[in-house]
Amino acid sequence: MPRKLVLITVLTAALVVSGRAQQPSSLANLKTTAEASDFKSTSTYDDVVKFMKAVDDASPLVFYTTYGTTYEGRPMPMAVVGTGIKDASPASVKGSGKLRVHIQANIHAGEVEGKESAQILLRQLAMGQHADWLRSMVLLVTPIFNADGNEKFALNNRGRQNGPINGQGTRANGQNLNINRDFMKLETPEGRAFAKLWIDYDPQVGFDLHTSDGSAEGYYLTYAPPLNPDTSDQIMKIMKDEWFPFVTKNIKSKYGWETFYYGGPGRGGAPGAGGGGRGRGNAGGGAAGAGGAGADRGAGAGGAVTGAGAVPTPEVVGATPQAGQMRAWNTFEHVPRYHNNYVGMRNRFALLSEAYAYATFEDRIKATNYFVEEALNFANANVDRLKKAVEAADKESIIGTTQGTRAQFKRGGVITVLTGELEDEKNPVNGATMARRKDVVHEEQMIDMLWFEPSKTEDVPHEYYVPATATKAIAVLALHGIQMHPITAPVNGVEQFTITSNTQRPATNSIDTGAHGLRSVDGSWAAAAGVTVPAGAWVVPMNQPLARLAFYLLAPTSDDGITAWNYLDDSLGTDAKTYPILRKR
């Protein structure tokens, strides 16, 4: 169906719902662009906004608002859904006392299933479905995070992905930056809007809905929790031991579809041999710790971590490695520039989903629907436990503990992974070759490379002191909501970091790093005799809820902090001997 006719269909359906007094049954006639086009097309920005406003008009449970403006000037839409709230304001949402859940989609605008799934969810809620959820939760739904990228439709934006055949948007935003590498540096307006939303509404749970870039696998959807090893155990234990197992079991029992942790086959070794896998980004062997750009998930662009028996990854699905060798199932990166890792560093639950790119567009939407539904079923049944875990993580002191500032893959045991097969299919619109999932699944034993362990650490002090002249660093800390204030009197008895290595990668102007040449420093902390912090410097206390995030931003050896992202470059030239930020144990 031509896009113009699709838009007319959607607009006509939207007009059916003309006011908040309409009965929920009228919403059954409201279709997403994907549904109205028989899954040939995905929604434009205007389609999404019209759909959300129609749902808002039809239901007293849904409140339409905006929470920021994109680089190209588009208001960023959000629907707040709940019972017992009077409006979409943070005060109303937080005042409800309910679990606050943020559902975000379309950060990569070629990965469109979450955008469609989120709209379907809004319609379901407005029609009275899942009423039990709304008795315990308030949902903040942002279906089209990367609105600028969404409007750059093309038929070749996603390579061999199986539809939508009429095209989709781009990975980058209007600045040509990857928003899912921006959550620490916050140089996109979309990233800054996200941070403000999380400061204002303070969700306890955050979803990020994607489509995979990976090799042929046997899963309809894969998922990931926070991956940084500094994430609070209060969060990780529930996610790994209960939440994801619940989702996996229920999707399998209800729909017969397999789901598993996000990953892809990489280099491994003979069981029990040394070595590791090859990361799906620049995660392995400290590559990201040196300021790696972070390759697209699934691109396999990171440096290889080699060891005894390491072999190249077979390029053909189902190919057999050399005798006695075993492949590894590698996840992506640990750095908080990714949404799921960033949310974890804020002491919150993060659920990343990746619908399988080579399933049909319709099935990818279904898989995302199933994932969100089962994840919210678990949340609804465990609201009090989730809120208490977040509160405990916020109160947990990390002062005096040793935390990671860089990480490497943690080699685990042997796990059973489902691989799949693909067949070629022609896009009827332009004749391009797409890949399509075959209904064939193979079991393969692989080395578990799903988690990380620190490769570099620092001790967490009582507080840091940022010089007043470091205005760029102070500004980005404020954007994250880090608690800090200027001191009014000099402070003595502090420690200083002496630099022994200071390197900067060349700027590549990639969508992942932009104009940044990422910096990496090494050295050590020691008492600084005669050094005084002057009045006017900013103190960052580490007895605050965002202490983990503050630490990762401020620690000089961090692979994803203000040093790595050049916010201290004015003080870190090639002849710099000391780190400009001081600390007190």
Side-chain angles (χ1 to χ4, degrees), residues 97 180 236 340 434 463 520 524 560 569:
N180 203 29
M236 294 303 298
N340 59 311
M434 304 183 298
E463 53 195 22
S520 177
S524 60
D560 211 16
D569 273 11

Side-chain angles (χ1 to χ4, degrees), residues 508-579:
T508 60
N509 289 314
S510 75
I511 68 169
D512 289 338
T513 56
H516 294 273
L518 276 72
R519 185 177 297 278
S520 177
V521 302
D522 283 297
S524 60
W525 288 98
V531 175
T532 299
V533 181
W538 288 73
V539 59
V540 181
M542 296 303 289
N543 60 343
Q544 61 171 294
L546 292 180
R548 295 177 191 276
L549 179 59
F551 170 78
Y552 219 86
L553 284 163
L554 292 168
T557 61
S558 169
D559 54 15
D560 211 16
I562 57 176
T563 296
W565 288 110
N566 311 124
Y567 285 103
L568 296 173
D569 273 11
D570 290 346
S571 304
L572 289 175
T574 55
D575 58 347
K577 304 299 183 186
T578 58
Y579 186 58

Side-chain angles (χ1 to χ4, degrees), residues 277-279 283-284 330-332 408-411 449 451-453:
R278 181 156 65 90
N330 296 324
T331 189
F332 58 103
Q408 62 190 10
F409 281 116
K410 181 179 181 180
R411 184 187 178 94
M449 301 288 276
W451 310 106
F452 292 90
E453 59 188 0

Side-chain angles (χ1 to χ4, degrees), residues 73 142 204 207 262 264 291 307 314 332 335 364 386 391 400 440 452 524 527 556:
T142 55
Q204 289 109 334
F207 286 78
Y262 182 88
F332 58 103
V335 281
R364 295 200 302 272
L386 299 185
E391 292 171 2
V440 177
F452 292 90
S524 60

